[in-house]
Amino acid sequence: MRITAREKSKDGRMVRIYLDGRYGFSIPADVYTTSHLYEKDELTEEQVDHIKQDILVQKARERAVNLLMARDRSRFEVRTRLVKLGFDEDIAERVVSDLEAIGYIDDSRFVLKYASDRIKSKALSKKALRYELEQKGIGRDLIDEVLKEFEPEEEEVALRVAKKKFGKYDLSDRAVEMKALKFLIHRGFSYETACNVLRRLQGR
């Protein structure tokens, strides 16, 4: 196949490449300037496929970086989002691996920040937090490692939750106490933690 013409898009961001008189593919202008593609050049099908693949990888990388600029995300989240946007799984995997290698994606950093933010803003139990992280594709070993750092805070988090929900109620009332106990357990706190919190609120 021979490159018979090239044409810049109106905004100048893309270059349309024509092969044997017909449209072949579009390539970002900045990539075109370094690709050494010239009119009358002969290209094999393999070379064309390789160029198209590189273009898709660059587009996927740009999408991934934009996602990460909006907020930090896990490896699983970025990969899943790219696939949903229509990129092949191989391309999505290649992009997230490249971004991991340069530190743009870091699940350890993501989990630590996510856990800290969620515990502070939503007062989540470790059980509830673990569930959320698993939904984001984080492995159990990494979750366990990070949640150890929040071990001393679990009861304090439960205390904040209980105060917010039952601070105006008389917890010496057995019915109210049982309702508060069930509420805390439902929120993912252990029975022991829930009991300790209620004792503290009751001044015992």
Side-chain angles (χ1 to χ4, degrees):
M1 290 178 282
R2 177 177 293 181
I3 298 177
T4 51
R6 61 183 178 83
E7 178 183 70
K8 274 194 174 184
S9 61
K10 290 182 179 180
D11 60 10
R13 295 176 60 187
M14 302 294 291
V15 176
R16 294 167 63 89
I17 303 296
Y18 291 83
L19 302 171
D20 297 334
R22 294 188 297 181
Y23 172 73
F25 55 87
S26 292
I27 185 171
D30 58 337
V31 176
Y32 175 78
T33 58
T34 59
S35 63
H36 306 295
L37 295 174
Y38 306 104
E39 287 186 33
K40 298 184 180 180
D41 278 356
E42 292 284 348
L43 297 176
T44 65
E45 282 192 28
E46 185 178 352
Q47 286 175 311
V48 171
D49 288 341
H50 183 72
I51 291 170
K52 289 180 178 179
Q53 186 81 353
D54 285 347
I55 293 169
L56 286 173
V57 168
Q58 178 166 328
K59 287 182 178 179
R61 186 178 289 111
E62 289 174 355
R63 289 293 188 94
V65 169
N66 286 338
L67 289 171
L68 292 166
M69 287 177 66
R71 68 170 176 82
D72 202 9
R73 299 170 194 262
S74 69
R75 185 186 205 281
F76 174 81
E77 284 183 297
V78 176
R79 188 182 186 282
T80 300
R81 189 66 179 275
L82 289 176
V83 172
K84 285 184 177 180
L85 287 170
F87 295 102
D88 290 342
E89 291 191 4
D90 288 346
I91 289 177
E93 180 62 32
R94 177 177 167 183
V95 167
V96 296
S97 294
D98 288 347
L99 292 177
E100 265 187 323
I102 60 176
Y104 271 57
I105 294 176
D106 184 332
D107 275 359
S108 295
R109 180 189 65 217
F110 169 78
V111 172
L112 189 60
K113 186 176 186 306
Y114 185 88
S116 178
D117 290 347
R118 292 295 282 169
I119 286 176
K120 289 177 182 176
S121 64
K122 295 295 184 180
L124 291 181
S125 66
K126 287 190 296 183
K127 182 178 179 180
L129 183 58
R130 177 183 294 278
Y131 175 78
E132 287 192 1
L133 289 170
E134 287 176 349
Q135 296 305 300
K136 294 181 179 297
I138 304 300
R140 290 185 178 182
D141 289 345
L142 180 54
I143 293 174
D144 289 341
E145 180 183 338
V146 171
L147 290 187
K148 284 179 183 177
E149 299 191 26
F150 298 96
E151 194 77 40
E153 297 183 19
E154 179 81 347
E155 190 170 308
E156 298 306 315
V157 172
L159 182 62
R160 293 209 319 266
V161 172
K163 280 183 177 179
K164 184 176 181 180
K165 185 72 175 180
F166 294 95
K168 297 179 181 179
Y169 294 89
D170 181 9
L171 285 169
S172 63
D173 184 313
R174 182 63 176 170
V176 175
E177 181 184 16
M178 292 307 297
K179 187 175 181 180
L181 180 65
K182 290 179 180 178
F183 172 77
L184 289 172
I185 292 173
H186 179 72
R187 287 290 296 268
F189 298 103
S190 69
Y191 177 81
E192 181 182 1
T193 297
C195 288
N196 288 341
V197 165
L198 293 179
R199 279 195 290 269
R200 288 173 65 179
L201 289 175
Q202 292 166 340
R204 289 190 275 148

